[in-house]
Amino acid sequence: MSPKKKPPAAGADPPGQADVLRGTTRSSAETQALGRALGEALRAGDWLGLTGELGAGKTCFVQGLARGLGAPPERPVTSPTFVLLQSYPGRVALHHLDLYRLKGGGELAELGYDELCAAGVCAVEWFDVVAGAQAGDGLVLSLELRSARVRAWEARALGPRGRELLGVLEAAGTAGRRPR
């Protein structure tokens, strides 16, 4: 895993507001380890937006998050694509949502979205298709499959908590490896 911090673009958000970290993982195990390291630092109320094409590694990353949050290893972590929501118990509950099929904010309310996000950690795929689904503070993680095993990732901080979480990813991405 090799993270690189990117400074905000000139004229973009004020300094520190658009912090971005980029890196790569070279196996599913590395993608899960990155998720696990982040999961160990997460607390109730933390929000993660996940983007990436089918097969990019979103569920693989969430498998690591679940283990980092203390979800039992015998509990499989699967994609919520067809069920909208998968929840996993642990030190803090993890709620993995896929909002692709939702048509609007009313359906978010029916899911109890605000309550889920306040009481646990929310990892949300397709957050950008429903108005009001993106938190003001958290982290957006984009994953891209570069080859059969290599995934590129980019984490963008939203607010102060997002910047704290970038620090966790930066530390996890360089543990035992030289930055590239």
Side-chain angles (χ1 to χ4, degrees):
M1 296 175 280
S2 56
K4 295 178 184 158
K5 202 146 193 177
K6 178 186 169 195
D13 293 330
Q17 295 297 310
D19 292 2
V20 172
L21 186 66
R22 292 187 174 111
T24 56
T25 59
R26 293 178 172 17
S27 66
S28 293
E30 279 191 12
T31 303
Q32 290 171 347
L34 189 67
R36 182 183 194 111
L38 184 61
E40 289 171 354
L42 294 174
R43 58 185 185 226
D46 281 339
W47 182 91
L48 306 170
L50 303 172
T51 67
E53 295 298 319
L54 183 65
K58 297 179 298 291
T59 299
C60 186
F61 181 81
V62 173
Q63 290 167 342
L65 281 179
R67 300 306 169 233
L69 284 162
E74 64 275 3
R75 174 85 186 264
V77 175
T78 59
S79 172
T81 299
F82 298 106
V83 293
L84 302 179
L85 168 66
Q86 297 276 22
S87 293
Y88 304 95
R91 169 180 62 76
V92 177
L94 171 63
H95 307 293
H96 184 192
L97 298 104
D98 184 324
L99 305 183
Y100 184 76
R101 290 178 169 69
L102 297 189
K103 294 181 180 25
E107 290 180 286
L108 275 181
E110 287 176 26
L111 273 175
Y113 186 74
D114 291 339
E115 293 81 7
L116 290 171
C117 291
V121 169
C122 281
V124 186
E125 297 182 37
W126 295 100
F127 63 90
D128 51 345
V129 300
V130 180
Q134 180 174 317
D137 199 8
L139 198 64
V140 173
L141 182 75
S142 301
L143 293 149
E144 179 185 339
L145 195 59
R146 294 277 172 91
S147 70
R149 294 169 25 142
V150 176
R151 291 176 175 91
W153 56 267
E154 177 181 282
R156 182 173 43 92
L158 303 173
R161 181 62 178 152
R163 286 190 289 283
E164 288 176 27
L165 296 175
L166 271 187
V168 171
L169 284 175
E170 187 169 32
T174 59
R177 297 195 128 173
R178 294 176 193 257
R180 296 177 191 194

